[in-house]
Each structure stands twice: as structure tokens, then as C-alpha cells.
Amino acid sequence: MIGESNWIVEGSFDRPLTIPYVSNGSASLNAQFSVSELLKGKSSTTLSYANGLLGPTIRANTGETVNVSLQNSLSEETNIHWHGLILPENMDGHPRDVASPGGSLNYSLPVIQRAGTYWYHPHPHGLTAKQVFLGLAGMFIINDAEESALNLPSGEFEIPVIIQDKHFEGNNLEYSPNDDEIMTGYLGEQILVNGQHAPFVNVASRWYRLRVLNGSTARVYNLGLTGGANLIVIGSDGGLLRTPETVSNIMLGPGERLDVLIDFSDLAVGKEIYLVSNKFSEFNVQGRQAFSLLKFKVDREGTSDFTLPSTLSNISALSESLSVKTRTIDIAQTIGGEGGHGGMGRHSINGKIFEMDRVDETVSAGTTEIWEFDNLAGDEIHPMHIHGVQFQVLERMGARNKVIASEKGWKDTILLMPGEKVRVIMTFPNYTGVFVFHCHNLEHEDDGMMLNYKII
Ligand code: C2O
Ligand code: CU
Ligand code: CU
């Protein structure tokens, strides 16, 4: 299918959206095969953490410790990485820390950071993409006092939206990227939200909050609403922005999160609008088609006393003068070394492919550095992610040539389109040890586009 300009198969948007169940604080997860209705009226075999769809949404408050047990009921290794969380080395889900088939792991996660929409997924090297694609992923939401004071829409008015594209053979998911699909990323024809193809959700005419996660292995979305409605971006990977940003379109790469408000107040009962992905490129196979993901049906009058605050959060900008070192990270080369674990090893970082025990960069705890991800000469899309830290985006050069609305706060994953270079700044935490950074196109990651860095 790759190369064709219209490949997304839209459904009928007549199935009510499923909301993953919430686990407050600690959780027991069991990575297992299960059966789910991903496509309307059909049963598919999937992977799940909880006998059903995906995994529970784990919720915690800043200052708490969350305990999670993981049982591995698969026939291969697995583990969990807590994407966006700042954790001790042995809790981060480095690919060397895995549970064997039939084995288990216990995670004790001290929550020391601000409110935000984080997530979790497997990270065994060479198997990450497949396990995420088949269904292992969940949200991890942190709340804190600063955010609660804003009185944002909550409860049934706060909707998790996990977006993933899937490829089916018959009724079942099929994960079998060929060489070309390892280059572009594995792109599916059906877009699922919370594990369901083409769902709808009934809404009241009032404000809603959507916590959006791009949990796809490789697909980028250019999100917007139909009917001229705007998205009001209030947060991204690492929590709230300083001020709300109103946009008609916003790009979201694999691994990134978007916290948005939508005001349905002026819509009459009976009105329907869609969350869509708009075209973003004529040249890239991914960007040529617009398609719908989720339908909102206004089915009742709403009341709400919510008013959009003009200030959301106090974020102080990390000054470039604090930086003790600038590193250039070359991600544009597509001919790597010897052959990666999961693929051909054609994706590299600084000319190297992942090796479990080699330390590639060494940084000092508590110091601030600037990293420049350089895709200026590249012709592929690379969403770059750093474990164990949150960063701020200083500048994007080349192609889009600007920092977009969702990049004005804290980030852990940054989208680089072909011909772009992005500079980010971060202060490393006091957790010493070895962490990874990698491309969050999971086909690229499994192909070896990942390195170790050590905090000393
Ligand atoms: Cu969400 Cu190492 O990744
Ligand atoms: Cu991560
Ligand atoms: Cu990549």
C-alpha cells in the first residue's frame, strides 16, 4: 500500500468510544494475548496489559510513589518504559532490564515531577515496535496542585485519546514490516482511537479537555477539527504550557502528547464535528491524505462555569548561558553499520547503531546542556526522544523553521521533519546511570536508531 496517496480506510463512526479504565496509584499489569473488537463487529487477537484493550490509565499525584507489578505472559521478553517520567536508572525500563517469558518485574516509581500526560509501553530491543503495535501501551497521568487550581474540565469531560494506526490481514493485526517499511515506518490503513476503529463520543455543549497520545509506531498526524473549530493547546509532553495557544492544525509525532481544550458551547444539539488529520505534505507518503479519527456528537445542552485562564503555568526558560556543552546529534544518515537487531541497521545516530553495553555520551548530573538534532540532510521523519529528562525547545532551523505551539513548554520527544535541525536545552537530573535516547519511529528504533547516555 505504501506509495499510494489514499490508503486510509475510514469507518462509519457509529461505535461509542471506549475509555480505558483508571487505576489510581498502584497497578498490576499482565502482558498477555487477548481478544478485542478493534474493527466493528470483528474479533481480533491483540496484546493487552489487562485482558482487553491496551492498558489502564494510571493516575498519580506529584509526591506519591506508584508500585506496578508486571507479569510477562508472552512467549518473548518484555518490560515497561515510563515515557516522560524522570526515574532512577533501574526503574526506567532500559532494554537490558527485561522479564523473560513467564517472568515478572516490580516497578516502584517515585513521582517527582509536574502534572502532565505521560505514558508507558514495552522497550525490549528489537521487539518494541511489534509489542506496541499489537496493543501494549497505556497512559500515565500525573496531577498536581498548580494544575488543579485551574479547574480544567475533568471527569467525563476529560477524554483520553490514544491514536494508533493498524494494519490488518483479515480480522487480525499483522505486524510484518518489509525493508521499505522499516525505512518509512510501518503505516497502517485503519486509524484506531483507544483501540477502536472509527468511534464517536457524545458530548454536551460545553468545554472539554482531550489528552491526546500519538501511540503509533511511525505515523505523524496533523490534528484539527472540522467545521472551522479550533484546538486550544494547553499542554504537551511535560505538562502545561505558559499560556493557551489557539491553533487550527497541529502536528503530533509518534510518542508525543497534546493536551487540548475544545469549546463545544456554541454548537447546537445534534451537531457533529470530527477530529481529523489534515494533509501536511505532498512529498511524504504520510502527509498526502486527510482523514477523520473520531466523531463528536453534541447530544445535550451543557453548562459549565469554566473560563479559559490567560495564564496556565509558570515555566522559566532555561537560559542558553547555563549550558556547559553543546552536542550535535546527527540523525540524517540512513546507512548505518553492521545490521541492527530488529532490521537492517540502516538507521543510525552519529553513524552508530545501538549496542546494549556501549556508552555513547556521558553527561554530569545537575548540569545543563544543549543538544542539536540534525536532520538537515535527511529525507526521513524522525521523532527524537530522550529518556530520563524533560527539555525545552530553543529553535528549529530548516523546513518548518519555527517552534510550534505545543513545543513552547516541556518536552521529551521532538519531531524532526526532513531538512530540519532542532536545538533543545535540558538540565540532567540527579539520577545517575545509563539511559537511552532514540528515534520514536519504533521501526527505526528497533533497527538500531538508539544510543546509550550515562549520567555521572
Ligand atoms: Cu517511548 Cu524509549 O520510549
Ligand atoms: Cu521515554
Ligand atoms: Cu527515525
Side-chain angles (χ1 to χ4, degrees):
M1 293 299 283
I2 282 179
E4 297 186 14
S5 56
N6 288 292
W7 70 50
I8 301 291
V9 181
E10 288 191 359
S12 44
F13 296 96
D14 55 0
R15 322 163 61 190
L17 179 72
T18 296
I19 306 293
Y21 76 91
V22 173
S23 188
N24 280 302
S26 300
S28 297
L29 304 180
N30 183 0
Q32 60 191 288
F33 282 92
S34 95
V35 172
S36 182
E37 192 184 331
L38 307 177
L39 300 175
K40 191 184 171 196
K42 296 181 180 170
S43 302
S44 308
T45 302
T46 65
L47 297 183
S48 162
Y49 281 119
N51 190 25
L53 285 174
L54 303 166
T57 298
I58 298 174
R59 293 193 86 114
N61 296 310
T62 302
E64 293 173 357
T65 296
V66 173
N67 292 300
V68 181
S69 63
L70 170 66
Q71 176 63 38
N72 181 4
S73 301
L74 308 178
S75 54
E76 60 191 26
E77 292 178 339
T78 195
N79 68 350
I80 298 181
H81 167 57
W82 311 92
H83 183 131
L85 269 65
I86 294 163
L87 295 169
E89 175 192 32
N90 61 348
M91 291 295 137
D92 184 60
H94 188 280
R96 74 182 161 213
D97 299 323
V98 289
S100 313
S104 61
L105 285 168
N106 286 301
Y107 294 96
S108 173
L109 313 171
V111 176
I112 59 167
Q113 65 204 82
R114 66 202 295 260
T117 307
Y118 306 94
W119 67 298
Y120 61 93
H121 62 78
H123 221 294
H125 189 49
L127 299 171
T128 298
K130 181 182 77 172
Q131 291 184 7
V132 172
F133 178 89
L134 292 177
L136 295 180
M139 274 192 186
F140 193 116
I141 293 176
I142 299 177
N143 293 110
D144 68 11
E146 183 195 43
E147 187 194 38
S148 308
L150 295 176
N151 196 26
L152 297 167
S154 63
E156 62 170 307
F157 309 114
E158 174 188 341
I159 304 175
V161 176
I162 302 175
I163 304 172
Q164 300 178 302
D165 59 333
K166 303 292 183 199
H167 175 67
F168 289 84
E169 290 293 343
N171 289 358
N172 277 318
L173 291 171
E174 170 77 9
Y175 188 76
S176 55
N178 61 30
D179 287 356
D180 286 345
E181 290 164 332
I182 291 171
M183 293 306 279
T184 53
Y186 196 60
L187 302 170
E189 299 79 11
Q190 272 87 0
I191 312 295
L192 273 50
V193 174
N194 298 346
Q196 286 177 296
H197 184 227
F200 76 94
V201 61
N202 285 323
V203 296
S205 54
R206 51 157 287 150
W207 286 88
Y208 277 75
R209 178 184 194 178
L210 261 53
R211 293 182 182 263
V212 186
L213 160 65
N214 182 351
S216 309
T217 65
R219 191 179 279 283
V220 174
Y221 303 91
N222 184 23
L223 298 174
L225 296 168
T226 54
N230 286 322
L231 293 169
I232 299 171
V233 182
I234 57 166
S236 61
D237 303 347
L240 294 170
L241 306 181
R242 290 185 186 88
T243 55
E245 301 268 342
T246 301
V247 299
S248 54
N249 281 299
I250 189 143
M251 306 242 317
L252 191 68
E256 291 187 300
R257 286 87 67 208
L258 195 65
D259 204 338
V260 293
L261 297 177
I262 302 177
D263 184 6
F264 294 104
S265 306
D266 292 334
L267 300 185
V269 172
K271 184 96 184 142
E272 300 182 340
I273 66 173
Y274 289 84
L275 179 68
V276 297
S277 178
N278 291 301
K279 289 187 190 183
F280 57 86
S281 167
E282 288 301 326
F283 309 107
N284 198 285
V285 288
Q286 289 214 35
R288 292 182 197 151
Q289 188 182 355
F291 50 87
S292 301
L293 296 97
L294 171 65
K295 180 165 85 176
F296 300 98
K297 253 167 111 164
V298 181
D299 75 331
R300 60 198 189 277
E301 300 277 343
T303 49
S304 81
D305 48 9
F306 176 73
T307 40
L308 183 67
S310 55
T311 302
L312 297 166
S313 174
N314 243 316
I315 298 178
S316 37
L318 285 175
S319 154
E320 290 194 38
S321 64
L322 294 172
S323 172
V324 298
K325 186 165 175 114
T326 297
R327 292 174 206 253
T328 299
I329 316 283
D330 177 8
I331 58 169
Q333 300 177 41
T334 48
I335 300 169
E338 291 297 285
H341 191 105
M344 306 280 288
R346 289 172 302 180
H347 295 94
S348 61
I349 299 178
N350 289 339
K352 296 190 280 187
I353 60 166
F354 184 63
E355 271 190 35
M356 198 67 85
D357 299 314
R358 183 190 62 215
V359 172
D360 300 290
E361 305 290 335
T362 302
V363 306
S364 296
T367 64
T368 300
E369 295 198 0
I370 294 171
W371 287 20
E372 303 183 339
F373 292 107
D374 187 349
N375 197 29
L376 286 172
D379 53 15
E380 292 186 14
I381 301 172
H382 300 294
M384 297 304 297
H385 170 51
I386 312 175
H387 284 213
V389 74
Q390 290 281 333
F391 52 76
Q392 292 178 357
V393 184
L394 293 170
E395 183 182 10
R396 174 180 280 106
M397 292 162 264
R400 286 179 289 162
N401 202 30
K402 63 169 191 288
V403 173
I404 66 169
S406 54
E407 294 169 342
K408 296 180 181 175
W410 290 101
K411 295 281 293 168
D412 53 53
T413 307
I414 180 81
L415 184 62
L416 284 108
M417 296 301 283
E420 291 183 353
K421 175 172 171 175
V422 172
R423 300 170 70 233
V424 305
I425 186 167
M426 66 210 133
T427 301
F428 294 97
N430 288 318
Y431 289 134
T432 57
V434 176
F435 298 85
V436 291
F437 64 100
H438 59 87
C439 182
H440 219 287
N441 173 315
L442 298 181
E443 282 75 39
H444 294 181
E445 175 186 342
D446 280 345
D447 194 38
M449 194 171 179
M450 173 160 69
L451 296 181
N452 281 310
Y453 79 97
K454 186 172 188 177
I455 304 182
I456 56 170

